[in-house]
Amino acid sequence: MSQPTEPAPSPDGAALHGPVARLLRPLVRLLVQRGITFPALTNLLRELYVNVAEYDFALPGKEQTDSRVSLLTGIHRKEVRRLRGAGAPVSQVPATVSRTSRIIARWVAAPEFTDGQGRPLPLPRSADDAAPSFESLVAGVTKDVRPRAVLDEWLDRGLVVLDPEGRVRLLEAAYLPKGGAEPQLYYFGRNLHDHIAAAAENVTAPSPRFFERAVHYDGLSDGLAGRLEARAREIAMGALKEANAEAHAACAEDAGGRHRWNFGIYIYREEVPARDSGVGPESDAAEGSAP
């Protein structure tokens, strides 16, 4: 049977070609660096196209058919039949990521573990009374792992140090996995997914559903770009700490449910080739140009 004819892109679809090429470029650069070839990416995209069409574009009250998935994706029915039924992808949070992020979130948010300026307190390993300690910090999050095991792991990874008084000091104000290992790759996928999902929803919805804004200036000197980056880091960390503290306190009284929430901030700067740079500093309005 012949391959189904691919529908011509709609005007709206054609308008996406340029923006999609731009957002994919850094991803393609990473894939090439990591040895993921174009045929390997093609196989992954084929599976994703079938999965998205099967689960996200099913008609209410009707069974999704191979023919309709083939029509939506332009993939041959034989391939559709082979790839369907695998189930929607599930994002599994690595156990060490979940545990570490929850403990650090508590350390930088709970009043008993922070000082008057909201900074994480240095903690004794244990305390005989009800005073805050590293042991009580960990025990308040999980009973499955001994606090000493968590401390040894964190010392090895450079997340904490022991000060001259033997107290445990947090070195990172937020969980910043490094080195391209599983924790960092997990957040790479999660955070970029949520940013793109919010932006895509804003493009397709009648009006913007999610807050997505940016402030950007062009034609800057290297020194000014560096100062703005440093200042933006300070502002961003302040916002993240405040959001974390409010969320941590609110969760204590929440009945729980099936929703999740992600509040992210990104900062980026680069040197633009001369042919692409503007004639001087420019800025959009304070809310930026995001839709």
Side-chain angles (χ1 to χ4, degrees):
M1 190 172 292
S2 62
Q3 178 78 10
T5 302
E6 295 185 13
S10 66
D12 288 342
L16 278 174
H17 284 187
V20 168
R22 183 171 186 177
L23 74 87
L24 287 179
R25 187 175 184 85
L27 178 59
V28 170
R29 186 183 303 120
L30 175 63
L31 296 177
V32 173
Q33 288 174 344
R34 290 303 183 96
I36 298 179
T37 63
F38 178 72
L41 178 61
T42 300
N43 290 335
L44 175 59
L45 285 174
R46 185 182 293 111
E47 295 174 4
L48 285 173
Y49 260 77
V50 171
N51 189 274
V52 168
E54 179 178 4
Y55 290 95
D56 295 3
F57 288 86
L59 298 175
K62 292 186 177 181
E63 181 181 358
Q64 187 70 299
T65 65
D66 293 346
S67 295
R68 185 165 188 272
V69 172
S70 178
L71 180 64
L72 288 169
T73 63
I75 298 172
H76 196 285
R77 281 201 296 270
K78 183 178 179 180
E79 278 291 279
V80 169
R81 190 177 305 112
R82 181 179 68 84
L83 294 171
R84 282 189 66 189
V90 177
S91 177
Q92 297 289 346
V93 184
T96 182
V97 170
S98 176
R99 182 178 66 241
T100 299
S101 61
R102 285 185 294 136
I103 295 172
I104 292 180
R106 187 175 186 229
W107 198 347
V108 300
E112 64 268 32
F113 295 107
T114 56
D115 62 16
Q117 284 72 46
R119 296 171 298 198
L121 291 168
L123 301 174
R125 298 191 193 190
S126 61
D128 296 331
D129 52 16
S133 66
F134 187 79
E135 194 172 86
S136 65
L137 171 71
V138 175
V141 172
T142 178
K143 300 293 195 300
D144 297 332
V145 182
R146 293 183 298 109
R148 179 53 192 264
V150 174
L151 177 58
D152 289 344
E153 176 194 348
W154 286 17
L155 287 169
D156 182 63
R157 291 165 53 189
L159 294 177
V160 297
V161 294
L162 298 178
D163 66 14
E165 300 176 38
R167 298 176 301 179
V168 185
R169 287 185 175 271
L170 181 66
L171 291 181
E172 300 283 1
Y175 183 34
L176 297 172
K178 304 176 182 68
E182 182 183 36
Q184 187 180 40
L185 292 178
Y186 166 75
Y187 280 113
F188 167 77
R190 173 175 176 146
N191 291 340
L192 287 183
H193 167 276
D194 287 359
H195 192 166
I196 293 176
E201 177 71 18
N202 287 347
V203 168
T204 58
S207 59
R209 163 72 176 81
F210 295 104
F211 185 90
E212 194 217 357
R213 297 289 187 269
V215 176
H216 51 88
Y217 284 72
D218 301 322
L220 306 177
S221 67
D222 181 66
L224 177 55
R227 292 200 302 274
L228 289 175
E229 179 184 354
R231 178 57 181 144
R233 286 175 179 269
E234 295 177 0
I235 296 171
M237 280 306 305
L240 290 171
K241 287 179 179 179
E242 183 177 351
N244 177 59
E246 292 192 17
H248 180 82
C251 284
E253 300 179 356
D254 187 55
R258 299 179 59 187
H259 288 263
R260 71 180 183 91
W261 166 78
N262 191 8
F263 172 55
I265 300 172
Y266 72 92
I267 303 167
Y268 183 71
R269 74 179 176 103
E270 66 175 348
E271 182 178 0
V272 182
R275 64 180 182 275
D276 296 329
S277 62
V279 296
E282 296 178 346
S283 171
D284 285 333
E287 287 191 332
S289 62

